[in-house]
Amino acid sequence: MAQVVDTSDFYNGLKFKWQDSVWEVLDFQHHKMGRGGATVKTKVKNLFTGSIVETSFRSGERFERIIFDEKPAQYLYQEGDGYVFMDLDSYDQISLSKAILGDAVLFLKDNLDVNLEMYEGKVMTIELPKSVELKVVRTDPGFKGDTVSGSGKPAILETGLTISVPMFINEGEVVVVDTRTSQYIERAKK
């Protein structure tokens, strides 16, 4: 039996069926307009094509919720435009494009364990761990006395991701990054 959701159930990451495709909510805002009905302005990603669309739905509009099957996998390497994963159950190798993976490629490093999210036997996207450890490859050196709380500096990580780190972080150090927000969490434990 299909699970039905309406616009009041929207949250970032919700997957639903619309226009004969599967979509993921990236962002949404409820808007109440005077005497008219409320609307929900959304930014959604088509999981078949990778395209991102901004659209509005009437408040209360209903959709079929999609729940993916998950398969454990491990990221192996990048080959051309493809990112190669190994299914940990069957040991098959699966190559996924950047269009499918989106910004997740900024967190991929060799041997990272992920979940392949499947719909009707096809990989739609991957689920990353909540945090990953990445090496800082470029950042300005910190200076003694730069300890103002809340201040930070940009750092480029080994995957190409740029984040803000505290002033005491130097090149070559490994930091823990939240994969949902792309924010620095802490210096990695040695």
Side-chain angles (χ1 to χ4, degrees):
M1 179 172 145
Q3 186 176 1
V4 177
V5 294
D6 70 31
T7 54
S8 66
D9 299 319
F10 275 12
Y11 60 87
N12 292 347
L14 173 76
K15 283 102 175 156
F16 65 99
K17 205 169 210 177
W18 176 57
Q19 294 182 341
D20 295 327
S21 200
V22 176
W23 299 80
E24 178 180 7
V25 175
L26 300 178
D27 192 32
F28 67 98
Q29 290 181 332
H30 292 275
H31 288 277
K32 176 75 175 123
M33 302 197 263
R35 289 207 248 176
T39 61
V40 179
K41 291 188 178 197
T42 61
K43 183 189 249 184
V44 292
K45 178 180 178 181
N46 183 318
L47 296 179
F48 288 134
T49 65
S51 64
I52 295 174
V53 175
E54 291 188 22
T55 188
S56 294
F57 298 109
R58 290 185 317 277
S59 184
E61 199 168 336
R62 299 167 67 92
F63 304 94
E64 179 185 343
R65 179 178 180 197
I66 303 297
I67 298 176
F68 290 145
D69 298 323
E70 292 186 350
K71 277 185 136 176
Q74 187 176 71
Y75 174 67
L76 298 178
Y77 56 89
Q78 181 179 356
E79 184 175 61
D81 293 338
Y83 295 81
V84 181
F85 296 82
M86 179 176 60
D87 181 325
L88 292 177
D89 293 332
S90 67
Y91 302 108
D92 291 339
Q93 290 189 4
I94 302 155
S95 181
L96 300 176
S97 69
K98 187 174 186 331
I100 290 173
L101 298 172
D103 289 341
V105 299
L106 296 172
F107 299 100
L108 294 178
K109 63 185 243 180
D110 294 353
N111 303 321
L112 179 70
D113 289 334
V114 299
N115 280 321
L116 301 176
E117 296 194 327
M118 317 275 292
Y119 178 68
E120 296 180 346
K122 183 176 187 236
V123 177
M124 302 302 290
T125 187
I126 64 169
E127 180 186 358
L128 294 165
K130 292 189 182 354
S131 64
V132 294
E133 293 184 0
L134 297 171
K135 186 176 188 178
V136 176
V137 293
R138 195 161 75 227
T139 190
D140 294 330
F143 299 103
K144 200 170 185 107
D146 280 339
T147 58
V148 178
S149 65
S151 68
K153 61 183 179 178
I156 300 173
L157 306 180
E158 63 185 292
T159 60
L161 177 65
T162 301
I163 65 168
S164 180
V165 297
M167 298 303 269
F168 59 82
I169 298 292
N170 296 309
E171 285 183 14
E173 291 192 70
V174 177
V175 295
V176 179
V177 181
D178 187 318
T179 59
R180 298 161 296 183
T181 61
S182 299
Q183 292 183 330
Y184 167 88
I185 298 175
E186 64 185 355
R187 184 186 277 160
K189 310 281 188 270
K190 292 186 177 170

